[in-house]
Amino acid sequence: AAKPCGCAAGAYGGGLAACGACAMGAARVAARGPIRAVKDLVIGMALSVLPAALTATSALSAWRRGATTLDGERTNAMSADAASADAISVVGLARAHFRFDLMGEHHAALPAEDEKYMYKAGAEATGTVCAVPVTYDGWTRANAVPLWYVCDNDWAGHRNCTQAYEGDYDARRGWYGLRPLRKCLRAPLDALDAGATELHFLHLDFQQSFERKHALSEGALMRASVQHQVSIDLSAPRVYWNPIQEPCCAALAKEDDALLAAVTVLSVLPLAYLVYRDILEAWKKMINVESTKRAFYTRAELLGASRLSGASRRAPHSSTRRRS
């Protein structure tokens, strides 16, 4: 499955802008009376833009992407498409499969180096990336690591991964940059201790960002190879902890569906209001035409009506004279 890109953000942003434009147009029509050009424009835009926007946001939702499930005891026989999966669920893992003693550590810095321009523009920051080999029974350092569990401290300085994992720091004063690493590194172990039989992970670049976490993690893999003589395969999956521990990504997809349903209803309301207003105006005109007398007459019709009126007024006098 392809990894999510900025297209999803563009679809959501464009859809929101289209809905906002329709709502503003409907509000203008409601506030200033029936402005024919504005009304036609809003209705046409709603009929064309809104279905396209809703379709695009639904199709590009990041939570409707590929996932795979692995057997922790047979990760050495991982499928070839596992590295391209956006989500990986592993069953049968044990604490011993997470080799924290062979963990690689990379100290990253921003702006990142650029081969062409030497350095990219941006704010200066430093951070730490930790990569933990996830192995299987019978694995040796001569075998390539099949799966890497990666954590970072969100650019909170250069820290020691082993120190963070072991909790070897002052919890009151020396926790900065270490506490988030410890929480991330110990998350799988805490889940296994709680009785979990299936762990769920997401690809490092599953959610679009400008940090290039997948590329940054390569330094941690290299460090593990050099420091611990671990065989590495750069095409092996690199994952992080899924905060929603269930198969990807039913819960997140439901949240997206609820949001899209709400946007759909809110988007249709201005269109429904304008259509209702048009129908109501047409109905009123039809009733008025049927119930209102003619306002314009020809000269011949007016002369004929006046003769009839005069004849009717003279008729009673003539009958009275006859009686006398």
Side-chain angles (χ1 to χ4, degrees), residues 5 11 15 18 29 69 88 104 120 130 132 178 186 191 233 240-241 250 287 303:
C5 62
V29 173
T69 301
I88 294 180
K120 290 185 177 180
C130 309
V132 182
L178 291 169
R186 297 197 61 88
D233 179 4
Y240 68 96
W241 187 247
I287 294 176
L303 291 174

Side-chain angles (χ1 to χ4, degrees), residues 98-119:
F98 289 86
R99 298 298 303 270
F100 290 96
D101 57 322
L102 305 178
M103 180 167 45
E105 178 181 310
H106 174 62
H107 290 167
L110 290 177
E113 292 188 17
D114 186 275
E115 295 180 357
K116 183 176 181 180
Y117 299 106
M118 298 305 291
Y119 285 95

Side-chain angles (χ1 to χ4, degrees), residues 88-100 103 130-135 147-152 164-165 179-202 239-243 245:
I88 294 180
S89 298
V90 188
V91 296
L93 277 175
R95 289 177 62 99
H97 294 154
F98 289 86
R99 298 298 303 270
F100 290 96
M103 180 167 45
C130 309
V132 182
V134 182
T135 62
L147 180 69
W148 292 88
Y149 177 59
V150 180
C151 295
D152 68 85
Y165 167 68
R179 183 185 295 171
L181 279 178
R182 175 176 172 78
K183 182 179 180 181
C184 175
L185 291 171
R186 297 197 61 88
L189 304 184
D190 293 340
L192 290 173
D193 291 342
T197 58
E198 183 175 359
L199 303 183
H200 307 284
F201 305 92
L202 299 176
V239 297
Y240 68 96
W241 187 247
N242 186 351
Q245 279 296 295

Side-chain angles (χ1 to χ4, degrees), residues 21 68 70 163 173 222 277:
T68 187
L70 306 175
Q163 183 182 6
R173 300 182 179 180
M222 294 293 187
R277 185 164 178 162

